[in-house]
Amino acid sequence: MKTVEVGNNVKIHYIGTLLDGTEFDSSRARGTPLSFLVGNSQLLPAFEKAIVGMTEGETKEISLTSENAYGAHNPEATQVVPKEAFGPDFVFNVGQAIQGTGPAGTFIATITEHTDTNVTLDMNHPLAGKDLNFEIEVVEIED
């Protein structure tokens, strides 16, 4: 029976939930397993580590603290930008995720506040500061 090792290409299904059971991501909902090279640092290190040693068809549940997931929420990772930096027809909604380009490259942020002239962006990952649960099933292991 094949077991997952570093260097394998694998296909997995997973369901990610918050501690209250809210689902934040699911390959099953998309109907397509996630395919990746184990050890290529594409995923959270603790997530990849949990997959090593699993066998095809095996299902496992893991819990990651925020420190092992997307880190603590940094209250200083906000930025106030002028609304004119957005297009004239842009509609500002608190809680809305946006993607932009800045001096350091592409970023994703969440609108936390807006006034007549400015918008406040939270640059933290949307899952920063949250403990996460995953149900993982190894669908296929390629050599």
Side-chain angles (χ1 to χ4, degrees), residues 70-132:
Y70 293 97
H73 185 270
N74 179 358
E76 295 178 15
T78 60
Q79 184 174 2
V80 177
V81 297
K83 279 188 167 179
E84 62 194 34
F86 295 81
D89 297 326
F90 190 88
V91 178
F92 297 90
N93 294 308
V94 171
Q96 176 183 356
I98 62 156
Q99 182 174 336
T101 305
T106 303
F107 66 88
I108 296 176
T110 304
I111 296 173
T112 58
E113 183 180 345
H114 63 91
T115 66
D116 290 340
T117 57
N118 295 317
V119 59
T120 304
L121 303 176
D122 181 349
M123 310 299 256
N124 284 287
H125 186 284
L127 295 173
K130 298 184 185 333
D131 296 336
L132 309 177

